Amino acid sequence: MPAPIRLRELIRTIRTARTQAEEREMIQKECAAIRSSFREEDNTYRCRNVAKLLYMHMLGYPAHFGQLECLKLIASQKFTDKRIGYLGAMLLLDERQDVHLLMTNCIKNDLNHSTQYVQGLALCTLGCMGSSEMCRDLAGEVEKLLKTSNSYLRKKAALCAVHVIRKVPELMEMFLPATKNLLSEKNHGVLHTSVVLLTEMCERSPDMLSHFRKLVPQLVRILKNLIMSGYSPEHDVSGISDPFLQVRILRLLRILGRSDDDSSEAMNDILAQVATNTETSKNVGNAILYETVLTIMDIKSESGLRVLAINILGRFLLNNDKNIRYVALTSLLKTVQTDHNAVQRHRSTIVDCLKDLDVSIKRRAMELSFALVNGNNIRGMMKELLYFLDSCDPEFKADCASGVFLAAEKYAPSKRWHIDTIMRVLTTSGSYVRDDSVPNLIQLITNSVEMHAYTVQRLYKALLDDISQQPLVQVSSWCIGEYGDLLVSGQCEEEEPIQVTEDEVLDVLEGLLVSNLSTPVTRGYSLTAIMKLSTRFSSVNRIKKVVSIYGSSIDVELQQRAVEYNAMFKKYDHMRPALLERMPIMEKSSSNGPTEMVQTNGETEPSALESKHPPPVTQPTNQANDLLDLLGGNDVGPVIQTSMPTKPPSSGGELLDLLGDLSLTGGPTSAPVSTGPPPQPGFLLDGLSSQNLFNDISAAGIPSMTAYNKNGLKIEFTFERATPNPNIAVITIHASNTTDADMTEFVFQAAVPKTFQLQLLSPSSNVVPALNQGTVTQVIRVLNPQKQQLRMRIKLTYSHKGSAVQDLAEVNNFPPQSWQ
Amino acid sequence: MRFMLLFSRQGKLRLQKWYVPLGDQEKRRLGRELVQTILGRKAKMCSFLEWRDLKVVYKRYASLYFCCAIEEQDNELITLEVIHRYVELLDKYFGSVCELDIIFNFEKAYFILDEFLLGGEAQETSKKSVLKAIEQADQLQEVRAVYLPRPLIPLISQAF
């Protein structure tokens, strides 16, 4: 049997192959030779064969039949064999194969070998690919080697221990004693690997973390020596002494200083020193600065140091090296939440990075820009971001569009600006907008009542230009369906109204239905829009025709809709107007929390506001409807929103304002209302005012006073401050009757000087029962913006024992706290 | 570090060192995809990218790409220095290293890497120490006295 071909020879031969097929042939031939050689249990050439196998494995060919051979090589006495054997093990074996466990014994022996390079091989292999079982078996050996004085082995043992801890965290404890004097080593290799080991232990266990905190002074000293010491040729990299070690120490300091004041203070000086003295002309200096910045931002550093760190990042942003810029943007993104103002100072540089050529930098800059948007800079920032959206790669468009919508929603300076921004996004990147933005946008448009005409006009014009972007088309068709009447009526305040006829609108919508560009969802939207226009337009016959055509559409969804709409024309024509009415305001229940006033009931069901049903007792969400209902079904309309400004109280006793405020805060105020006894309309307020009383006693501490006491009628005033507005005093009157006859038709009226405003709410009842059997309560709200002394004139009228009684009185003895 | 890959401009793998346990198929797939991604990047782009859930650092030296996938908390800039240090070690060892050296002496490249990094972390920060260790380990190799006619192949490796 001729000697197997040498490794280099094989490599050269394979490289001469001109085609993939030729290469495969060569490889197969060689593999066959190697296999038969393995079968012969040839010790001499095993090493060579495995080496060749490893080369072929790297080219992508299967080499599993060499696994056992690697084990045999490892077990061999020859160093060459062991070297290749361990390499083969690391390349061909992994913990998924049962075979790998056979290595354990060999490794154990080699860990105790007389030659340190063999020990090194074993440590290296264990530290690279040791499985949990292997680690468990061999941890003791590693721990022994961690204590050796041989620095060559000690450093390897340290990293091996790191791997063992990662695989089997419970074993961490056993390495603790060995770490005692790791940092007193002079050898940089040992120092570096020790710091890595300490870092791993501190990250995994809070106990270890507290235990190792005492090392901070020592670490600071080592770092200081590295910086201050002169040129050391062995560890020098572009004038900096051992940057790898410096970076590792800085990282360990970060972990130790996090949420610990003392440690953070102990490292303040060295961090400042590193930050100011490190040479920044080469990448290596910047690597150290970067790590320093990360550490400063993470520990409890003093503000001066933090500012220094942010400024370093700011300088990084201007660096020519794009890697540095990238790293700066990443770090700023991490710190923007905590040091928002400091980062804002670099906003213009960050926005410039949007125009960078590199994709990663652009993405970072985009994320950071969105984080920096606030109420003050929204207009400028949005301009830049929209410009970015126009020109960026498709992979960014979805995220950018979502970001723009979010920012616009939070900080829009005006409704018109908001709608314009949405329009811009839809028209330029309409096809990348996320699916959930269509309903969100529709909700937004519905809520901007005064902008309906403007919105539908702009959307219509956009549709005329381009019908390919589905989200845009969907939103537009929905709006046209809803507000088509505004469109044809030619009313638009915000811009020049366009003249469009009903037929033109229907042409556009029908065009969407037949176009190949429209998705089934879009078609559904258009069909529904056309149907809605049947109550808004006069050309009903045309609509009837369209709808009936689609009754036989292949698309099941369209067919169903068309058939149902057809039915609406035929059998249910009387219900059609009600079903296709304007949509009410929709509240976003998920993001706006408990302020849910009107439920969204779906597209064509009647809204809760418009129907008049008797008030159910317990449901808080219907409370608002009940209270409004009490007004005699005023056409309050869909204007009640969380963002509505509070109207100043008028003296006519407008229930709406007070109730609007109270019911919008949800929860507690509506609870007592629902538990009240049978409804007299006024009793609801009774519940409210007794609540005020509670608050008064517990919180405000303004003493009550007797305002009037005559002829058996006693009127007491109790006070409280209305919390949103400290200029408003809430006075509750309690009228009680000590005579033996009821006072009926009791009416309390009050007047205040011109500088005040008064709001009188309904009384609990108009009968003051005799002999103190009950009180009539009524709430007065007084607005006192000039903080003048409160004075009031009251007028009382009632019937007592058959005769009408009327009295006027002045109330001057208000306690100072009620009006100051 | 999770893994390091060396590959040519044509996408041929010259060295792969994995520090995480993955199946062979998985390694091949990941490797192929990452190589394609990096080869697709333009020259002016920065050396860092987020790929899947990994941070990747890469740098091209002549015809070879050196690519490392690092952990979330690792410092990208120092990783560039790690790559550079490895190239310097190869350069010192082979004497003006080129891709051919690594192709024909791939096992040496691995040995050098294993003296510099262990489990993905640097075990020795002194260039001199790493090279000395390799030299001494090479001495231990049982040399087979064979005549090698071709001067192109470095005379260092004669063990097999």
Side-chain angles (χ1 to χ4, degrees), chain A residues 6-8 11-12 15 23 44 47-48 51 54-55 57-62 78-80 83-84 87 90-91 94-96 115 117 123-124 127-128 152 155-156 159-160 166-167 187-189 192-193 196 203 234-237 242-245 247-248 251 254 283-284 286-287 290-291 322-324 326-327 357-361 363-364, chain B residues 12-24 27-28 41 43-50 55 71-78 80-82 85 100 103-108 110-111 114-119 121-129 132-134 136-138 140-144 146 148 150 153 157-160:
Chain A
R6 301 179 70 86
L7 171 64
R8 325 280 168 215
I11 295 176
R12 203 174 329 117
R15 280 172 64 79
E23 183 184 277
T44 333
C47 181
R48 182 184 291 183
L54 292 179
Y55 177 74
H57 177 255
M58 185 146 66
L59 291 179
Y61 296 92
K78 300 209 290 216
F79 183 70
T80 317
R83 238 183 171 186
I84 294 290
L87 179 61
M90 285 192 272
L91 287 176
D94 60 69
E95 56 188 44
R96 287 124 190 268
T115 312
Y117 296 104
L123 281 169
C124 180
C128 270
Y152 176 78
K155 70 189 187 199
K156 289 183 194 272
L159 287 181
C160 201
R166 282 184 187 158
K167 281 297 197 190
N187 180 294
H188 279 224
H192 185 272
T193 57
V196 174
E203 275 175 343
E234 197 173 340
H235 299 110
D236 180 85
V237 179
D242 207 338
F244 304 104
L245 184 56
V247 164
R248 265 322 197 161
R251 187 160 148 188
R254 178 154 82 241
N283 178 62
V284 61
N286 288 322
Y290 175 40
E291 197 74 33
K322 59 188 108 51
N323 293 333
I324 310 279
Y326 174 87
V327 144
L357 292 165
D358 185 295
V359 172
S360 314
I361 290 184
R363 177 167 285 283
R364 284 276 182 273
Chain B
K12 285 200 114 99
L13 209 54
R14 300 300 180 205
L15 187 146
Q16 50 171 336
K17 187 76 188 179
W18 296 80
Y19 296 107
V20 287
L22 287 173
D24 217 29
K27 284 182 195 169
R28 284 197 210 285
R41 280 169 78 82
K44 292 285 183 191
M45 289 183 155
C46 84
S47 297
F48 314 132
L49 71 146
E50 289 101 37
K55 288 210 288 195
E71 308 280 351
E72 182 62 41
Q73 53 286 42
D74 286 338
N75 181 328
E76 294 97 323
L77 296 177
I78 207 73
L80 280 175
E81 293 300 318
V82 167
R85 173 56 63 89
L100 271 179
I103 294 170
F104 279 93
N105 300 284
F106 70 94
E107 84 280 10
K108 299 284 180 187
Y110 275 109
F111 295 154
D114 286 340
E115 272 305 319
F116 175 41
L117 302 179
L118 198 156
E121 304 283 350
Q123 58 181 285
E124 181 56 68
T125 56
S126 153
K127 226 180 336 186
K128 203 173 76 177
S129 301
K132 195 164 119 206
I134 291 284
Q136 294 192 325
D138 281 349
L140 284 183
Q141 294 210 163
E142 295 79 4
V143 176
R144 197 183 287 278
V146 175
L148 285 171
R150 284 173 175 64
I153 303 173
S157 59
Q158 298 183 51
F160 43 85

Side-chain angles (χ1 to χ4, degrees), chain A residues 57 63-68 70-71 88-104 129-134, chain B residues 21-28:
Chain A
H57 177 255
H64 44 270
F65 57 90
Q67 287 168 0
L68 273 172
C70 293
L71 293 176
M90 285 192 272
L91 287 176
L92 298 180
L93 288 171
D94 60 69
E95 56 188 44
R96 287 124 190 268
Q97 276 112 9
D98 300 324
V99 168
H100 85 280
L101 284 170
L102 297 172
M103 266 199 293
T104 315
M129 47 83 71
S131 63
S132 327
E133 296 91 348
M134 283 168 76
Chain B
L22 287 173
D24 217 29
Q25 290 277 54
E26 182 87 29
K27 284 182 195 169
R28 284 197 210 285

Side-chain angles (χ1 to χ4, degrees), chain A residues 59-193:
Chain A
L59 291 179
Y61 296 92
H64 44 270
F65 57 90
Q67 287 168 0
L68 273 172
E69 302 300 316
C70 293
L71 293 176
K72 292 181 198 164
L73 283 175
I74 292 173
S76 157
Q77 290 311 309
K78 300 209 290 216
F79 183 70
T80 317
D81 283 356
K82 282 190 192 284
R83 238 183 171 186
I84 294 290
Y86 276 119
L87 179 61
M90 285 192 272
L91 287 176
L92 298 180
L93 288 171
D94 60 69
E95 56 188 44
R96 287 124 190 268
Q97 276 112 9
D98 300 324
V99 168
H100 85 280
L101 284 170
L102 297 172
M103 266 199 293
T104 315
N105 214 32
C106 285
I107 295 185
K108 187 169 189 167
N109 292 336
D110 283 341
L111 283 175
N112 292 305
H113 204 275
S114 48
T115 312
Q116 68 175 18
Y117 296 104
V118 174
Q119 290 173 293
L121 285 176
L123 281 169
C124 180
T125 308
L126 183 58
C128 270
M129 47 83 71
S131 63
S132 327
E133 296 91 348
M134 283 168 76
C135 288
R136 254 185 252 273
D137 288 338
L138 300 169
E141 303 295 328
V142 176
E143 197 259 341
K144 226 166 53 187
L145 287 171
L146 192 51
K147 297 193 283 219
T148 177
S149 53
N150 181 338
S151 49
Y152 176 78
L153 291 174
R154 210 169 182 203
K155 70 189 187 199
K156 289 183 194 272
L159 287 181
C160 201
V162 171
H163 180 84
V164 168
I165 292 173
R166 282 184 187 158
K167 281 297 197 190
V168 192
E170 304 89 72
L171 292 175
M172 185 162 39
E173 294 289 325
M174 78 183 280
F175 293 106
L176 186 54
T179 62
K180 223 187 261 296
N181 53 358
L182 275 177
L183 288 185
S184 18
E185 267 271 0
K186 289 280 177 261
N187 180 294
H188 279 224
V190 178
L191 272 177
H192 185 272
T193 57

Side-chain angles (χ1 to χ4, degrees), chain A residues 35-69:
Chain A
R35 256 193 259 249
S36 46
S37 187
F38 283 161
R39 267 197 301 271
E40 288 170 17
E41 297 282 340
D42 187 325
N43 289 336
T44 333
Y45 295 111
R46 185 177 285 125
C47 181
R48 182 184 291 183
N49 287 328
V50 170
K52 286 188 286 188
L53 203 54
L54 292 179
Y55 177 74
M56 295 189 285
H57 177 255
M58 185 146 66
L59 291 179
Y61 296 92
H64 44 270
F65 57 90
Q67 287 168 0
L68 273 172
E69 302 300 316

Side-chain angles (χ1 to χ4, degrees), chain A residues 387-449:
Chain A
Y387 181 72
F388 173 70
L389 182 62
D390 286 343
S391 51
C392 70
D393 300 326
E395 60 192 273
F396 286 116
K397 293 219 185 201
D399 290 330
C400 191
S402 304
V404 166
F405 286 148
L406 263 166
E409 207 179 306
K410 270 201 266 193
Y411 302 111
S414 75
K415 284 250 167 22
R416 157 121 192 218
W417 181 95
H418 197 168
I419 303 268
D420 282 343
T421 307
I422 293 173
M423 290 290 312
R424 174 91 181 264
V425 174
L426 284 179
T427 47
T428 57
S429 319
S431 25
Y432 299 98
V433 153
R434 280 203 245 278
D435 290 335
D436 63 348
S437 30
V438 171
N440 287 346
L441 288 174
I442 288 177
Q443 188 236 324
L444 195 66
I445 292 171
T446 327
N447 288 354
S448 324
V449 177

Side-chain angles (χ1 to χ4, degrees), chain A residues 673-689:
Chain A
V673 183
S674 57
T675 52
Q680 295 171 5
F683 202 83
L684 290 163
L685 289 174
D686 207 8
L688 288 171
S689 43

